[in-house]
Amino acid sequence: MAASDAPTRCFPVVYVDGAEVSATFYERLGFVRHFQLPEEGEPGYVGLRRGDYELGVVDHGWPKDMLGLELGTPPRFELFLYVDDVDTRVEELRGAGVPVLREPADMPWGERVGYVADPDGNPVALAAAA
């Protein structure tokens, strides 16, 4: 395959304790499930999209099983996600039992940012223009 024939996709894959639980969390943030393995039953991997962007979530056993690598302790990554209204989204997530790590606040760079935790304790920044 020539380089010009290669897909122009690139996306992070997050190691999680439960692909279904994590996929459901990200669906609350506007991601749409487009792929799941296995197709039926409890997934070990879920592919998600939000506009032109993609995110994969895979069971935490994947790096050990496929690569012989052990995972470190959370947090394992941070996701910075733009939303229409930070305060409203943080309150919606809080009402759904999602831990709020930092209340929304205006930042010196001109954005309003609040932090919640995904099901594995990784920080997710929710941001909008201030």
Side-chain angles (χ1 to χ4, degrees), residues 49-69:
R49 286 190 180 129
R50 185 175 187 256
D52 293 335
Y53 303 98
E54 296 185 38
L55 176 68
V57 293
V58 68
D59 182 77
H60 66 270
W62 175 262
K64 174 79 170 163
D65 296 344
M66 295 301 291
L67 307 169
L69 299 174

Side-chain angles (χ1 to χ4, degrees), residues 1-108:
M1 174 185 294
S4 62
D5 296 334
T8 57
R9 295 171 55 209
C10 179
F11 59 92
V13 177
V14 181
Y15 306 133
V16 300
D17 287 336
E20 180 64 35
V21 171
S22 289
T24 299
F25 171 81
Y26 288 105
E27 287 170 330
R28 285 188 180 129
L29 296 173
F31 284 85
V32 176
R33 190 180 305 223
H34 71 90
F35 186 79
Q36 174 179 312
L37 281 176
E39 290 182 27
E40 301 293 325
E42 184 69 24
Y45 173 86
V46 176
L48 301 152
R49 286 190 180 129
R50 185 175 187 256
D52 293 335
Y53 303 98
E54 296 185 38
L55 176 68
V57 293
V58 68
D59 182 77
H60 66 270
W62 175 262
K64 174 79 170 163
D65 296 344
M66 295 301 291
L67 307 169
L69 299 174
E70 296 290 338
L71 289 184
T73 58
R76 295 185 190 115
F77 80 103
E78 176 182 322
L79 181 67
F80 203 90
L81 183 70
Y82 287 93
V83 297
D84 289 331
D85 184 325
V86 174
D87 295 83
T88 299
R89 188 54 63 98
V90 166
E91 286 309 314
E92 289 171 354
L93 293 167
R94 184 192 324 268
V98 173
V100 175
L101 300 176
R102 183 175 177 164
E103 295 296 331
D106 292 337
M107 296 296 156

